[in-house]
Amino acid sequence: MPQPSPLLDFPGSIAAPEGHPEYGVPWHWGDPFAEQRTATRGAVVIDRSHREILAVQGDERLSWLHLVISQHVTQLPENSGTEALVLDSHGRVDAHFVLAHVDGTVWIDSDPGAEATSALPKGGKQTLLQYLEAMKFWAKVEIRDASDELALLTVLGPDTARILSTVDVDLPDEPYAAVALPGGGFARRMPWPTRSSVDLAVPRAELADWWRLLTDAGARPAGSWAFDALRVESLRPRLGIDTDDRTIPHEVNWIGSAAHVAKGCYRGQETVSKVHNVGRPPRRMVLLHLDGSPEIAPETGDPVVLGERTVGRVGSVIQHHELGPIALALVKRSVPTDQELLAGGEDRVVQAVVDPDSVRAEGPAPGREAAARLRG
């Protein structure tokens, strides 16, 4: 796992509490709501150097990856990317990651501590790197942990193109388009958490230098809080927070973006295809607007209750600069969208309502009607 970011020593940087999912990178820079607003109106740069990065090389890198991940990548062009999953034999999500195919290397970046279910006795776990190594067999591929080589920064906002042009990064507009950076690493365009999002995987030794370049070009320093608020608003799940050990891709909007329904020959494919073609998943991910009047908030893993029945679980909980307190939740598909729910456990139970836009379509920019209804 990468070491804590050197940017934590910069003036104004506020670290996340120990044990927080964003521990190791700046959580915010003094005003998380202003940082979110700038991400929607200007441009911000966010340190995400705690993400782990793997490098896959070799003549059979694409054909081999195609067999062990959920996405169709046999013909993944150079200078492009995608998202993918590792599933268990029942189609449940083990790992989620993003790819970039640049200069003969497939770069894989994932949240820190990514694991995959192994074939070890008693359902043991192994790191994503260990899982991929175990699946190599005789394939002509080489895999290495590149987390000490590269560190990820993300630039968000409508001014992103101008910021990147200032530092000589020329990136096509297509989602997941990727290019090599002159000094090493790569740039990759992302379709979330905003339409103007670019990941920069820069040499880790030059992380602070790149940060200064981007902020001198006009990008405002922002923390992981801002990234998560926009991620939750755009209905993008985070593995292990918005998922549990029963989650299948259909429940959290990963069909298409990260799991291909037509390709075969990967673990869990039968479940993916069957649920897609025959039935509906038992649960779905929704956006909850939380009552912010009490000074409490639910936590990840807390129950979602309708009447006296537990109908789901709370995932990411965040304070949004416009929507107020919001959360992602996995709830039973039968849960009505127009009834009040309770979210939380023990002494942190609050009223909650489902944002109807989060049910009608995948990945919307949710409306404000539900929040207004909750807050009266």
Side-chain angles (χ1 to χ4, degrees):
M1 185 177 297
Q3 296 297 312
S5 171
L7 302 185
L8 289 170
D9 296 328
F10 279 33
S13 172
I14 306 297
E18 189 170 357
H20 191 280
E22 305 300 335
Y23 182 71
V25 294
W27 194 25
H28 63 86
W29 292 79
D31 194 339
F33 292 155
E35 294 164 23
Q36 293 176 42
R37 287 192 291 270
T38 303
T40 62
R41 302 170 188 174
V44 301
V45 56
I46 300 171
D47 180 2
R48 301 175 67 217
S49 60
H50 57 334
R51 285 180 68 80
E52 297 177 358
I53 300 180
L54 307 179
V56 181
Q57 296 174 310
D59 294 342
E60 297 177 353
R61 61 189 180 279
L62 292 180
S63 58
W64 170 76
L65 271 173
H66 185 78
L67 297 176
V68 297
I69 65 176
S70 63
Q71 191 58 280
H72 199 299
V73 295
T74 52
Q75 302 298 320
L76 185 68
E78 281 271 352
N79 298 326
S80 68
T82 187
E83 297 179 53
L85 309 170
V86 171
L87 306 177
D88 72 7
S89 58
H90 300 285
R92 297 171 295 207
V93 180
D94 270 348
H96 169 261
F97 41 89
V98 191
L99 284 66
H101 188 201
V102 178
D103 284 351
T105 300
V106 178
W107 301 97
I108 295 174
D109 61 281
S110 64
D111 285 322
E115 295 180 324
T117 300
S118 72
L120 299 174
K122 299 181 181 180
K125 287 282 189 178
Q126 53 191 175
T127 67
L128 180 58
L129 175 61
Q130 290 170 335
Y131 169 77
L132 294 176
E133 284 283 2
M135 299 300 291
K136 274 176 54 175
F137 301 109
W138 298 280
K140 296 178 180 179
V141 294
E142 299 175 0
I143 312 166
R144 73 176 187 276
D145 187 344
S147 302
D148 290 337
E149 301 172 31
L150 299 179
L152 203 69
L153 297 173
T154 297
V155 182
L156 304 177
D159 287 347
T160 293
R162 179 186 63 79
I163 298 296
L164 295 183
S165 68
T166 304
V167 296
D168 296 325
V169 176
D170 185 14
L171 191 61
D173 289 336
E174 292 80 12
Y176 304 106
V179 296
L181 295 176
F186 61 88
R188 178 185 59 216
R189 190 173 296 280
M190 292 294 294
W192 60 274
T194 72
R195 293 186 179 92
S196 301
S197 303
V198 172
D199 290 337
L200 299 173
V202 303
R204 185 167 290 275
E206 301 172 15
L207 176 63
D209 294 334
W210 272 93
W211 182 267
R212 293 187 184 96
L213 280 173
L214 294 164
T215 54
D216 288 349
R220 176 176 184 157
S224 58
W225 183 334
F227 185 92
D228 264 351
L230 298 173
R231 174 184 64 80
V232 171
E233 181 187 9
S234 63
L235 290 177
R236 298 288 179 163
R238 180 166 177 174
L239 188 73
I241 296 178
D242 302 302
T243 67
D244 58 19
D245 58 5
R246 297 183 293 118
T247 302
I248 59 176
H250 316 67
E251 297 176 325
V252 290
N253 302 340
W254 271 335
I255 293 297
S257 63
H260 198 282
V261 297
K263 65 165 272 194
C265 301
Y266 68 92
R267 192 172 65 177
Q269 181 270 338
E270 183 178 352
T271 297
V272 170
S273 179
K274 182 177 180 180
V275 175
H276 179 75
N277 293 315
V278 178
R280 292 183 173 184
R283 300 177 297 176
R284 58 187 172 194
M285 185 178 64
V286 298
L287 179 73
L288 296 181
H289 293 274
L290 306 174
D291 184 1
S293 54
E295 295 184 359
I296 54 174
E299 297 178 357
T300 298
D302 279 348
V304 177
V305 176
L306 173 62
E308 297 183 355
R309 293 188 302 126
T310 297
V311 294
R313 69 177 292 277
V314 175
S316 299
V317 182
I318 201 79
Q319 286 278 349
H320 188 278
H321 72 109
E322 286 186 331
L323 300 177
I326 55 176
L328 293 177
L330 267 178
V331 300
K332 293 180 179 179
R333 180 165 287 276
S334 59
V335 171
T337 62
D338 58 350
Q339 293 192 27
E340 186 177 284
L341 306 171
L342 294 176
E346 300 178 354
D347 58 353
R348 52 182 181 274
V349 179
V350 299
Q351 295 175 326
V353 294
V354 175
D355 189 312
D357 287 344
S358 69
V359 176
R360 284 196 287 263
E362 293 183 3
R368 273 62 175 170
E369 294 179 6
R373 173 159 57 91
L374 177 65
R375 295 172 177 89

